[in-house]
Amino acid sequence: MELVNITKTFHSAQGQTEVLKGINLTIEDGEFVTLLGASGCGKTTLLRIIAGLEEADTGSIILDGKDITALEPYKRDVNMIFQNYALFPHMTVEENIGYGLKLKKVPKAIQHKKVEEMLALVQLEGYGKRYPDKLSGGQKQRVAIARALINEPKVLLLDEPLGALDLKLRRQMQLELKRLQRKLGITFIYITHDQEEAINMSDKIAVMHEGVFEQVGTPNEVYYEPKTSYVASFVGDANLLRIDGELYALRAEDIQIQEGSHCTHKAKVLEKSFAGGQLRILLELSDGQQVTASRFGIDYDLKEGEVTQIGWSRAQKIK
Amino acid sequence: MKRGKKKGLFATSYLTLVMIVLYVPIILTVIYSFNANKSGTVWSGFSLKWYEELAGDRSLKEALINSLVLALGSCFFAILIATSAALGMRNRVSKLDKVMSYMSSLPIMIPEIILGMVFLGVFSFMNIPFGMVTLMISHTAFCIPYIFTMVQARLEGMERNLEEAALDLGAKPWEVFRDVTLPAIMPAIGSGALLSFAMSFDDVVISIFVTGARTNTLAVKIYTKLKTGVTPEINALATVILLITIIMVVLSEMIKERTKTKEGDSI
Amino acid sequence: MAGAGRRKSNNWALVAPLYLFTILFVGLPLIYMVYLSFMSRAKVWGFTNDFTLQNYLQILEPIYMSTFGTSLKLAVLTTAIVTLIGYPFGYFMARLGAKAKRLMMIGIMIPFWTSSLVRLNGWIIVFRSNGVLDKLLMWIGLTDEPLKLLYSYPAVVFGMVYALCPFMMLSVYSSAEKLDWRLLEAASDLGAGRARAFFDIAFPLTMPGLMSGIVLTFIPSMGLFFVADILGGSKVVLIGNVIQEQMTKGRNLPFAAALSVVLMLMTSCMLGLYRKICGNWKGLD
């Protein structure tokens, strides 16, 4: 799948908003691609354009060598998982899942068989006769996935599908989605604002900011070799440090305190806080720049106000 | 864009067309109320004489006063009865309450003509003389459901812990009612009251049955006049009524808007 | 007191006025009406306490049966036209932007709240012989003489449709407004064309609004005798007109009561049916 120079501008009474400013992306078959960005960066709009629910001003979408830009949404081999699942409340789970096949006029017997297979795939055997309002959030999520997958789309679009779930369920569903994707070999285009989720699941991450891709790369590249300051701070909130007129991204876990000879920078401990299993230490360098270092564990033998020596093993030069 | 636009155009023109038809009789009434011609079918110049005639008509003035007294009075009683009942029925599960609130809603569910007939029968049975009293009772009966349902819905949507917070802060029950509950249901009472006012002011069917020989309401009077054909005077009267209506609609919209923004603030 | 938390409190004083009023002026009168319908007519005015089925038998007379027929036919016709006009209106309106919605709402509320007599008066101006419509048609050249539309069946149908349409518009609107438009997108994403998505998703989900619109149109249209009176002259006689006539001119209270009982039974059947249908829908509020 290929996206070529896609732009989109919304017009409203308040004026124009350029939501997408020339998006180019090549996606391999069977790849898990994540569009990562804060809300309002245009990622949902891009997904809706791919699904055909929105039309791009310029640019084209190529799927399997065919230009599908002008195709109606119901004629595309692309299916979507909506943010709030968009399950039809007046249909049972079975009817919801089988809806796509019913539209294609697939014989009843085959429909039934495939629905059963799908229910098994998403581990919802026995739930077929229920209505969506009798399901939990996680179960609704599975129905939405089954409903999209039964059409055997070439590409599955997922619009923050785990956003409404609690943390524990999120983790579980992340693994499950990944398992499904590997098993079926379908291309996934996944939207999230959660960098941890993106890194956990993706083959490729496209970090989006104000309508453009700041960086496209593997999770490793995006995390360890951020190209721009936005990517550096959005993905794993790295420290941005200016040294000799150049800007560097510095991961909190890469900062060492009083460890070895390369700890040559003087720094004062400003604050210590404990968050997410990590101790975060805010330090001020002699030129007034502040950096945050992180350590596992609670206890660390440093007092607030103390002056110490710090250094780092790795710093990524960025624009 | 093209796909979406086409559908939008059709919808917009349909909405506009229906809207225009909706307003045809109203606009014509206003225009013809300024027509100098007596027959009313031809336009022969602008004139205010029908309004002058209206101002001089004593029986119409009487009918107007009757209508206003009736609408305000039945609104008042309906507010008292419906609001207190809605408050009383809150937080309790009672079959009897359900039956009674269903029964109290019957006056707006059964055809008006039956209601009129029923009232006529029962008032003569009870020996209540026909006039303002009978009008007031029957109008109160069909005003109650409007206010009751609105207040009840508002109470259900209200956050219980607001009142509990007030209690916790040391407010006595009646102070809680005054400071928290009442302000919360005020918009519902207001819009319910406006709607019942409009319904009472407009009512012909029930009023015809229960009105006395000497108490005419404006609506009944217009009805009798319309049966004999339109006079330009009626156009003028209708325009005045229209003005009152518009003011009420704007008022009710303002109430709605105020509650919305208020609720928006608290989120 | 009302606001006094969940503790058990004596609320009877609060509900008593409603109980009293409802029993006295709603319950009792309805029972009285049923009672009345089995009584005999007195010579001049009123009734005597002699049990009889005469009133109900009288309804079976052809002239009254045909009146019921006409009323029912008019109600069905009115409801059908109102549905055809009002459903798309409410549906389209729900898809507008917030500002346009508000404007439309006020736009509907003004004629809706305006006295029905004021509106009827306007239609007389339009329909009467040599009125606005005649003039317009003759000016265009479609007709060359007045159509005499006022005091005819079509005028009555038109008046009824006009009076009742806002109920349908508003109830479909309120139902369509709650519709999650993403469901339509989801259907389209799964392969449904525009029409298919509408009939599979939007239509069933707005059904409650449509049904309550039908009830709100049908029931009043059985009793709106004054529209027929004013726009139909004496040409269109509905059950409402007969009841009114029996009460005022005919002075036959028991017979009017019997007619009312039958009319009420018909409308309650309608309401019951509506409840039953609505109760059967799954996944809907």
Side-chain angles (χ1 to χ4, degrees), chain C residues 195-209:
Chain C
R196 190 71 204 251
F198 172 79
F199 283 109
D200 280 354
I201 312 300
F203 189 69
L205 289 176
T206 49
M207 200 52 128

Side-chain angles (χ1 to χ4, degrees), chain B residues 167-231:
Chain B
L167 276 175
D168 180 64
L169 292 169
K172 291 183 193 73
W174 78 270
E175 287 170 326
V176 173
F177 175 74
R178 185 196 60 194
D179 298 336
V180 180
T181 320
L182 192 63
I185 58 175
M186 220 40 207
I189 296 177
S191 32
L194 277 170
L195 188 58
S196 1
F197 184 92
M199 292 296 163
S200 161
F201 199 77
D202 182 31
D203 178 74
V204 183
V205 180
I206 294 162
S207 303
I208 282 182
F209 285 108
V210 298
T211 189
R214 256 167 287 159
T215 354
N216 249 331
T217 69
L218 199 57
V220 172
K221 201 142 174 78
I222 298 174
Y223 173 70
T224 13
K225 285 200 173 195
L226 277 184
K227 272 191 85 164
T228 52
V230 180
T231 67

Side-chain angles (χ1 to χ4, degrees), chain C residues 78-111:
Chain C
T78 303
T79 310
I81 299 175
V82 162
T83 306
L84 284 178
I85 297 174
Y87 185 89
F89 189 95
Y91 185 78
F92 288 149
M93 189 175 147
R95 301 208 71 162
L96 291 174
K99 220 174 175 180
K101 262 185 207 165
R102 242 172 82 73
L103 218 69
M104 291 294 271
M105 203 62 185
I106 296 176
I108 296 180
M109 283 326 258
I110 289 174

Side-chain angles (χ1 to χ4, degrees), chain C residues 6-18:
Chain C
R6 286 196 186 87
R7 286 165 297 143
K8 280 267 156 56
S9 53
N10 190 5
N11 289 335
W12 290 106
L14 285 171
V15 297
L18 184 85

Side-chain angles (χ1 to χ4, degrees), chain A residues 237-241 250 252-253 255-257 266-275 278-286 288-295 300 302-310:
Chain A
D237 59 325
N239 295 295
L240 292 176
L241 209 56
L250 212 57
E253 68 268 26
I255 295 178
Q256 282 138 9
I257 305 173
K266 225 185 208 166
K268 193 167 104 184
V269 180
L270 290 181
E271 211 178 282
K272 292 198 293 184
S273 59
F274 186 71
Q278 284 184 330
L279 186 69
R280 299 179 74 79
I281 306 149
L282 183 66
L283 299 141
E284 190 180 62
L285 294 171
S286 46
Q289 295 192 79
Q290 295 184 350
V291 294
T292 305
S294 65
R295 285 290 172 279
Y300 201 73
L302 269 176
K303 285 185 194 69
E304 286 177 12
E306 202 178 315
V307 178
T308 178
Q309 296 279 333
I310 65 169

Side-chain angles (χ1 to χ4, degrees), chain A residues 144-164:
Chain A
I145 293 168
R147 186 178 71 177
L149 287 179
I150 201 166
N151 300 300
E152 294 166 8
K154 297 205 173 89
V155 178
L156 186 68
L157 309 172
L158 304 99
D159 186 4
E160 303 225 12
L162 308 181

Side-chain angles (χ1 to χ4, degrees), chain A residues 30-298:
Chain A
E31 214 171 16
F32 195 122
V33 180
T34 298
L35 306 180
L36 176 66
S39 61
C41 73
K43 54 191 194 304
T44 297
T45 308
L46 180 59
L47 204 68
R48 290 171 59 84
I49 287 173
I50 300 173
L53 299 169
E54 207 95 54
E55 272 178 271
D57 297 338
T58 66
S60 45
I61 306 158
I62 318 272
L63 181 62
D64 269 0
K66 270 172 285 180
D67 189 333
I68 61 163
T69 318
L71 233 49
E72 298 272 2
Y74 48 88
K75 290 181 184 148
R76 298 186 183 202
D77 270 347
V78 169
N79 284 115
M80 181 151 166
I81 311 264
F82 289 78
Q83 225 164 44
N84 291 354
Y85 322 131
L87 298 182
F88 307 131
H90 59 303
M91 297 183 188
T92 60
V93 167
E94 274 176 359
E95 285 165 341
N96 262 288
I97 296 176
Y99 186 66
L101 296 183
K102 192 177 132 201
L103 290 172
K104 283 185 195 136
K105 303 211 166 56
V106 172
K108 280 263 159 59
I110 300 178
Q111 272 187 41
H112 187 75
K113 202 180 131 241
K114 285 214 158 180
V115 168
E116 287 300 319
E117 279 171 24
M118 275 299 147
L119 283 172
L121 184 71
V122 296
Q123 297 164 359
L124 278 179
E125 292 106 326
Y127 284 85
K129 298 276 184 266
R130 295 204 193 183
Y131 282 90
D133 62 342
K134 297 280 183 298
L135 300 177
S136 71
Q139 289 166 339
K140 282 183 192 164
Q141 180 62 69
R142 287 159 205 256
V143 176
I145 293 168
R147 186 178 71 177
L149 287 179
I150 201 166
N151 300 300
E152 294 166 8
K154 297 205 173 89
V155 178
L156 186 68
L157 309 172
L158 304 99
D159 186 4
E160 303 225 12
L162 308 181
L165 305 179
D166 60 47
L167 190 66
K168 199 175 155 208
L169 206 54
R170 260 180 105 109
R171 293 255 160 83
Q172 192 191 331
M173 285 304 291
Q174 282 177 14
L175 292 174
E176 209 161 310
L177 277 174
K178 192 69 200 157
R179 172 183 70 88
L180 276 173
Q181 195 254 346
R182 284 220 188 91
K183 188 169 168 187
L184 301 166
I186 295 174
T187 309
F188 274 34
I189 303 181
Y190 191 96
I191 277 192
T192 184
H193 62 263
D194 181 344
Q195 43 104 2
E196 193 185 310
E197 201 168 281
I199 288 168
N200 277 346
M201 299 169 80
S202 326
D203 299 321
K204 194 192 271 177
I205 296 177
V207 184
M208 214 170 159
H209 181 52
E210 288 179 350
V212 291
F213 285 153
E214 293 264 329
Q215 185 174 359
V216 181
T218 64
N220 255 319
E221 284 165 357
V222 173
Y223 191 81
Y224 289 114
E225 295 156 28
K227 290 216 179 87
T228 68
S229 57
Y230 181 80
V231 176
S233 58
F234 192 77
V235 183
D237 59 325
N239 295 295
L240 292 176
L241 209 56
R242 196 167 284 284
I243 304 163
D244 304 331
E246 304 267 23
L247 198 58
Y248 290 89
L250 212 57
R251 301 255 152 231
E253 68 268 26
D254 291 337
I255 295 178
Q256 282 138 9
I257 305 173
Q258 292 173 326
E259 290 170 38
S261 57
H262 59 275
C263 289
T264 51
H265 301 263
K266 225 185 208 166
K268 193 167 104 184
V269 180
L270 290 181
E271 211 178 282
K272 292 198 293 184
S273 59
F274 186 71
Q278 284 184 330
L279 186 69
R280 299 179 74 79
I281 306 149
L282 183 66
L283 299 141
E284 190 180 62
L285 294 171
S286 46
D287 59 356
Q289 295 192 79
Q290 295 184 350
V291 294
T292 305
S294 65
R295 285 290 172 279
F296 285 106
I298 301 175

